[in-house]
Amino acid sequence: MPELPEVETVANGVHARVAGQRIVRVWTSGKPQTFKTPEAEIAEALTGSAIDSVRRVGKTIVMTVRCKNKPTEFLIHLGMTGRLLVSQSDVPIPPHTHAILTLADGREVRFIDPRRFGRLSIHRAVVSSGQRTTDNGQPTSYTGPGREPLAISLDDFVALFRNRKTPIKAALLNQSLLHGVGNIYADESLFSAGIRPRRQAGRLTRDELTRLRKALIDVLRHAIKLGGSSVSDYVDADGVRGFFQLQHKVYMRTGEPCLVCGTPIKRITLAGRGTHFCPNCQR
DNA sequence: ACTATGTCCTGCGAGC
DNA sequence: TGCTCGCAGGACATAG
C-alpha cells in the first residue's frame, strides 16, 4: 500500500514527466466514491490549465496547476491500490481507470484504482471571516492533517504522544498526528526502535521516542532511496515496482525468524490492522 | 477531547 | 478444476 516513500516516488516521477505541460482534456469514470469533489468541478478546474508542480504532502499527491495565473491544487490520494501513471495514448487503458488527464503532447496522466479506496479532490483555500489566508493574497496551499515525519523536531515529536493512552502503533497510524506513516513503516520503525506496538504512546520514555523518531526517519529515507515497497500492486509513475519490500524486517514475515535474534515474528491485530513484531527484540 | 470499531471495495489465495 | 470464503487496509463515520 502506498505510504510516504511510495507516494514520494510517484509524485517525483510524475513531476519530472509532466511539469510545464498543459492539460487539454479531462475524463472521469463516474464512480462516485472516488471523487471527493464532484467530477464536473474537477474537470472544470483542470481543463486548459498548466501543471506547475507535483509533490507529496503526507500520503497525498498534490498537483498544482495554473489557469489564467490562478493556482489550483488537485489532490490525489492513492488509498490502498491507487496508481498514477504517465502513459502514451496508445497504451491500452487498464481496467479500473477512474481519471485521465490528456496532456498537450498527447500523453495521459491516468489514475487507476481497483479497490477504490483512493480519492480525488480539488483543494480550495479555507478563508474564514473575510481574512486573507496568506500575505500575498494567494490561497493557502494544502498542508495535510498532521506533521511531516521527515521534518519534525524531537521536542515536537515527543509532544505528539504525550498523555495518549492509545497504543503507539495506533498513534503512528493516526494521520492527524504524523501524516504519511502507514502499516508497513509503522511496524518496521517500531521493530528498528525495539518498541512493542501495544505500548501506550504516552508511557514511552523520551529515550524510546528519540529512538523511534530516528528509526522512522531512517526507514522512510531508506525506502525512498529504493523507490518504495511494492506490496499490493504499487508501482511508480512508469509502472516500475519498488524494492524496499525485499528489506522488510517484520512486515508480513509472521512465523519467520527475526533477522536479529531468530525468534519467530509474531502477528497480532491492532487498530484493525495486521501488526508484526519480534517478541524478543521489542519490549 | 480521545479512543475504538465498523464500513467501504476488489483481488487473491486457501481449502474443499 | 472451480467454487466459496476470508482477508488485506487508509480514511472516515459513528459510537462510547
Side-chain angles (χ1 to χ4, degrees), chain A residues 90-276:
Chain A
D90 57 355
V91 174
I93 294 167
H96 308 294
T97 297
H98 297 296
I100 301 175
L101 315 183
T102 305
L103 305 177
D105 67 5
R107 287 177 303 156
E108 298 176 346
V109 179
R110 298 173 177 175
F111 176 69
I112 301 129
D113 184 18
R115 214 165 291 182
R116 281 189 268 153
F117 278 20
R119 294 290 180 268
L120 303 179
S121 61
I122 298 293
H123 172 72
R124 308 244 178 243
V126 181
V127 182
S128 55
S129 56
Q131 289 175 330
R132 288 238 178 243
T133 49
T134 58
D135 297 341
N136 59 11
Q138 298 280 349
T140 309
S141 64
Y142 179 76
T143 53
R147 303 289 303 273
E148 269 296 318
L150 293 176
I152 192 169
S153 72
L154 178 59
D155 284 342
D156 288 357
F157 188 81
V158 170
L160 281 183
F161 302 107
R162 200 163 287 150
N163 296 327
R164 291 198 182 268
K165 295 197 173 112
T166 198
I168 184 61
K169 158 110 185 224
L172 285 174
L173 294 177
N174 182 345
Q175 302 295 298
S176 61
L177 298 178
L178 289 172
H179 59 198
V181 182
N183 209 32
I184 298 174
Y185 299 102
D187 279 6
E188 293 296 319
S189 60
L190 285 169
F191 171 77
S192 175
I195 298 167
R196 289 217 184 188
R198 275 214 225 267
R199 291 276 305 281
Q200 241 183 61
R203 293 205 170 165
L204 293 177
T205 64
R206 190 179 173 90
D207 253 25
E208 289 173 321
L209 289 172
T210 304
R211 284 191 340 247
L212 180 56
R213 174 172 164 274
K214 183 182 184 318
L216 185 57
I217 291 172
D218 287 350
V219 78
L220 291 172
R221 285 217 181 111
H222 185 54
I224 290 170
K225 237 178 236 170
L226 295 181
S229 300
S230 282
V231 299
S232 189
D233 48 8
Y234 159 77
V235 291
D236 76 4
D238 274 341
V240 177
R241 297 167 66 86
F243 291 97
F244 187 72
Q245 72 280 6
L246 302 173
Q247 306 203 6
H248 293 168
K249 304 272 199 298
V250 288
Y251 182 74
M252 289 299 239
R253 292 195 63 245
T254 311
E256 293 176 42
C258 169
L259 298 173
V260 172
C261 75
T263 305
I265 297 301
K266 218 176 151 179
R267 182 188 185 281
I268 58 174
T269 298
L270 201 161
R273 302 286 166 260
T275 298
H276 315 77

